[in-house]
Amino acid sequence: MTDPISLSVVDAAAALRRGELSQDELFTAYRDRAAADDTNSFTWLADDATTALGAREGLPGTDTPLAGVPLAVKDLFCITGVPTASASNLLRGYLPPYTATAIDRLQEAGATVLGKTNQDEFAMGSSNENSAFGPVLNPWDRTRVPGGSSGGSAAAVAAGLAPAAIGTDTGGSVRQPAALCGVVGLKPTYGSVSRYGMIAFASSLDQAGPITRNVADAALLFRQMTGPADRNDATSIGWAGDGGSGSASAIDLPTAVRLDGVRIGVPTDLLGEGIEPGVRASFDAALKLAESLGAEIVEVTLPHARHALSAYYLLAPAEASSNLARFDGVRYGNRADIGDGGLVELYTKTRHDGFGPEVKRRIMLGTYALSSGFYDAYYRRAQQVRTKIVEDFRAVHQDVHLIATPTSPTVAWGLGERTDDPIAMYQADVTTLPQSLAGVPAISIPCGLSDGLPVGLQLSGPAFAEQSLLDAAHALEGALGFDGTAAFDPARGAGAATPGSATTGGASR
Amino acid sequence: MTAFEPVIGLEIHVQLATRTKMFCGCELVFGDPPNTHTCPVCLGMPGTLPVVNAEAIRLGLMIGEAFGGELAERLVFHRKSYFYPDLPKGYQISQFDEPLVSGGRLGDVGLERVHVEEDAAKLTHAGASGRIGGSTSSVVDYNRGGTPLAEIVTLPEIRSAEQASSWLRLLRETLRQLGVSDVNMEEGSLRCDANISIRPVGDTTLGTKTELKNMNSFRFIEQGINAEVARQIRVVESGERVQQETLHFDPRTGSITSLRSKEGSHDYRYFPEPDLPPVQVPAELLESARASIPELPLQRAERFRTELGLHEESARLLAFRRALGDYFEATVAAGGPEADRQQIANWIGNDLVRRLDAGEDTDPDPAESKVEPASLAELVALVGAKTINRKAGEKVLDVLVAEGGTPGPIVEREGLAAIGGGDELRPVVQAALDANPDAVEKLKTGNMKPIGAIVGHVMRETKGRADGGEVTRLTREILGL
Amino acid sequence: MIDRDTVLHVATLSRLELRDDEIEPMARELSAVLDHLETIGELDLEGVEPTAHVLAERSPLRADEPSPSLPREVALDQAPDASDDGFRVPSPQA
Ligand SMILES: [Mg+2]
Ligand SMILES: [Zn+2]
């Protein structure tokens, strides 16, 4: 029979349901690969399918939608009794007594947890180099970053260490690593997936989403993660659906192969300087392909989108500075050795020793933006910019169904290349931030290679347009013919042997 | 020398009488072992989120409605950031520029606002921990953490410590009768801070204020405010300036100490709580809050005064203690249209309460005594009709309190019936005058002082059953005065 | 421009210890980042309502019904320093 590793989530679930494959067999196949991982994608691996059941009694049956498909889960999702650190030394060893709603729903739907994936500490970063567990290597080229913050999740899927992974996206943290690793990443509409049990970075922006080999898998996982509003999360409203049905099953697995009648806007404001020529070329080719499938491509403007970066890097750190105040070494997590020190030392040393440099930088930035005398100039102003960006998107969607941009202005860059330059690092999110601030759904699909490295195409739509987004992405994906398994093995893929020279496997036609 | 007047505003934190906490489903139980009512949410565990308890909002709206404040249409929460072990998230979820209630008034003091927020946990000093260096430690109990609070802020309209404490009593009773809180100061369900400044009498500007924290009894509130006002006057009179600071009053020593501001900074960095997007106050909550406002002490006092004709003082006394007010109304009802309501009020407010008083801080409930309202009504009627005199009435009340029953048989049994008018009493008065010729001489000159001797004589002879007024009247009549 | 004093003040508010050799680099980085973010200062935002949240008027309230609390040993299980019944911290009075 076929190698279980080659099966997509949709296909593996079908095989499990038909009894052609056992849950244990599938789990073990991935467990073995993940254990031999050389990309540092995992922070923790389950021994077997029953290790990370959370508060559940037993394994899911195969009569469930996911039928026992193992998933890699970003470290910041709390699972009862499973080490959950958000890749921070401060939380290393933390065992939560509760499970995140999104993971609980996936488990309810039959998924098992293969392991926790590496990430930037507290989801702050675009390269996965800000992790207490060390950087993740890009499976396409192990001298390069996988993107971030869900770098481990994207790398694990790209390297075939898991059939799919769950990440979180605050300013691009699902889409950008998916793009840099040549896989699919969906950031759903803000509020459609519960944030309960997801260790918060920026509450008004964080959203969980699937990272998969293909668009249909993303649709299936999204369908199981969303659903009715979570009573434990006041920002959870479930998936209202294109028709506003609010029912989880309203998401259909995409089957579209054409884009007839779909108007796609290309925001000229986001395609200025900073987009690598190779990325631009892949992107343009993909747009041509979309046109050939019947889509209409029009230029649109998002006049405030270029201010998204400024607004985001004030708002997100402001919220983060507050969300991370709870890490004080009192109720959980690791307390610094303070000797005879008092309360002040308990806080300042614990936080000094526990947080990495980027986290400290953002706490400082956020505290500053909220502090007396600066609130109006920074925090409040950034919120006003958010208002303008929301209005920009509304206006554009009067005219077009979807918006297309490159997901990332560049392909994966070399490890360490930007670590000393926060601004260069922040620029990595320039095309994903506007959608985050507007709270709208967006998906990244691989659209080709540049210098042998994957390029991502981002499609976004108005709130709750996931179905249209998935349908369009699916049609385009079929035409692009990108091989989602290209980087599975160093020997087969490009990276390890000759860094930067990937040519086999992936194809941008 | 300049005379100063204090300008005082109060900030009262009231624990709302919900079953569960403000943002999680943990049950609120006072006095249970530490940390037995906590969950990931109220421990501030990573990834957990708050969800607003609708009942806390309803109770907050009731307070606003009762005080005639303006009720907010939107529910908006902010985060107030500071680090302290009793604050698990490093911020308190509170309200900032859009409080649940704006304005309003209770009695003689206007309100600035009422907002809802979550309470902090309890920190207990544990003494030497036995750790290296023998440093001391504290233990945090998160049972109370997350209790819904209403913070009530008055305008700076209070001018004395006494006014502050009597207004606070009115507030406490009003909240109790609203049913929104247990308002128990010992258990900390009502806590009061005072903002205090002074200014020369006649001045209209506000001086620099200090904040006096956590005075946990009415007595301490008066003492604390008086001590702080005196301190500020001393400061100003010695040519210095009052510093804006937070102070602690120690009731044992009467001293006021400055709470060193933690790390010298009070920048709370308020910003909109991103875990709780603004939401319209649900119409059904608003309706339910409006529909559940009972008659409140001030309204009841007004009704007692205007409809039942009570004096101001009696009206307030009975209206501000619900048990007394209820008993009063039952007695008036039993007494029928002829009943003397003011007399009933006097008998309840003075005689009965004194006989039932259980202790300083427990309010007696006459409804739980053996004295039936109908019996009290009858007693008051007997005294009013002079069938028995007041002294005898008090004796009857003693028996009613001890044994219950009705006044008629008691009067009979104890022989307390008053000596009737002229016919029965005249000979006794005549005998008294005959026995006191000196007194009679003086009375004849218009000096009424010796009347006491005559009344005393008659009372002795009648074993107290005579009516003093009647004795005086007969004396005048006999002597032709 | 973020100077040394501002960095120390913000670090105090954030309860972050900064060692001597960490202060200047932090000041430099924050200044550079803030400089870069200054572009929003150019916009005319007069009269624009701030958006704290893209979700408005949607968050439901919770009924006042108890749900189970954690057993105390579970609540205390992850604490770096727990006594029998609570979370131990250095005394604030110390
Ligand atoms: Mg308060
Ligand atoms: Zn709780």
Side-chain angles (χ1 to χ4, degrees), chain A residues 95 190 234-235 310 331-333 335 348-349 351-352 361 364 367-368 378 381 383-384 386-387 427, chain C residues 2 14-15 17 19 22 29 36 38-40 43 45 48-53 55 59 78 80 88:
Chain A
L95 303 175
Y190 182 87
T235 66
S310 299
R331 294 160 310 284
Y332 46 77
R335 179 185 289 199
T348 59
K349 287 198 193 308
R351 291 162 65 79
H352 174 276
R361 196 149 46 222
M364 293 285 291
T367 302
Y368 180 73
Y378 292 116
R381 228 177 146 69
Q383 288 198 335
Q384 290 175 303
R386 168 147 57 175
T387 304
Q427 295 287 355
Chain C
I2 307 284
S14 310
R15 294 295 185 277
E17 180 186 78
R19 304 223 172 91
E22 294 169 326
E29 286 158 9
H36 191 75
E38 288 297 346
T39 60
I40 62 166
L43 288 167
L45 297 168
V48 176
E49 279 297 308
T51 298
H53 221 288
L55 273 186
S59 74
Q78 297 295 304
R88 201 151 38 203

Side-chain angles (χ1 to χ4, degrees), chain B residues 21 24-26 37-43 145, chain C residues 69:
Chain B
K21 293 186 178 182
C24 67
C26 286
H37 296 283
T38 70
C39 72
V41 176
C42 59
L43 288 174
Chain C
S69 292

Side-chain angles (χ1 to χ4, degrees), chain A residues 184-224:
Chain A
V184 173
L186 172 69
K187 180 202 95 76
T189 306
Y190 182 87
S192 61
V193 179
S194 170
R195 296 188 299 113
Y196 186 82
M198 239 171 75
I199 298 178
F201 162 20
S203 307
S204 74
L205 299 160
D206 293 346
Q207 193 62 199
I211 295 177
T212 56
R213 289 177 205 167
N214 65 45
V215 176
D217 284 359
L220 176 57
L221 292 179
F222 173 62
R223 170 156 93 191
Q224 301 310 148

Side-chain angles (χ1 to χ4, degrees), chain B residues 96-275:
Chain B
F96 184 51
D97 52 3
E98 291 188 57
L100 192 61
V101 180
S102 305
R105 165 164 293 276
L106 175 66
D108 52 350
V109 178
L111 299 178
E112 186 187 311
R113 59 188 277 152
V114 179
H115 72 246
V116 286
E117 60 185 26
E118 57 178 338
D119 205 349
K122 207 173 93 188
L123 201 59
T124 316
H125 191 63
S129 70
R131 285 181 303 151
I132 309 150
S135 58
T136 58
S137 68
S138 296
V139 170
V140 200
D141 168 14
Y142 290 97
N143 281 354
R144 195 186 72 185
T147 302
L149 295 179
E151 180 175 328
I152 300 167
V153 183
T154 77
L155 294 169
E157 293 183 349
I158 297 168
R159 293 290 174 269
S160 72
E162 295 68 32
Q163 191 193 358
S165 98
S166 76
W167 183 82
L168 204 58
R169 278 174 206 275
L170 169 61
L171 174 73
R172 184 176 69 157
E173 193 52 34
T174 305
L175 296 174
R176 195 206 307 274
Q177 296 198 18
L178 265 176
V180 297
S181 172
D182 298 337
V183 289
N184 185 324
M185 291 184 101
E186 289 72 47
E187 293 182 3
S189 58
L190 184 145
R191 307 192 290 269
C192 180
D193 306 336
N195 292 312
I196 302 166
S197 64
I198 56 166
R199 65 186 175 196
V201 172
D203 227 350
T204 52
T205 55
L206 292 173
T208 304
K209 67 180 181 188
T210 57
E211 189 179 8
L212 200 52
K213 280 280 189 198
N214 274 330
M215 295 163 288
N216 59 1
S217 84
F218 293 109
R219 204 151 47 86
F220 295 162
I221 283 162
E222 281 194 42
Q223 290 175 358
I225 292 176
N226 280 329
E228 173 56 10
V229 169
R231 188 192 70 85
Q232 288 191 15
I233 291 175
R234 281 198 306 276
V235 168
V236 172
E237 285 182 342
S238 69
E240 287 168 47
R241 283 161 167 265
V242 173
Q243 299 296 318
Q244 181 157 0
E245 59 187 333
T246 301
L247 304 168
H248 174 77
F249 172 69
D250 183 347
R252 282 178 306 121
T253 60
S255 67
I256 284 174
T257 47
S258 178
L259 295 171
R260 271 182 305 275
S261 58
K262 304 155 200 163
E263 292 284 294
S265 186
H266 274 297
D267 187 344
Y268 291 126
R269 285 158 283 143
Y270 279 101
F271 78 104
E273 164 58 292
D275 290 331

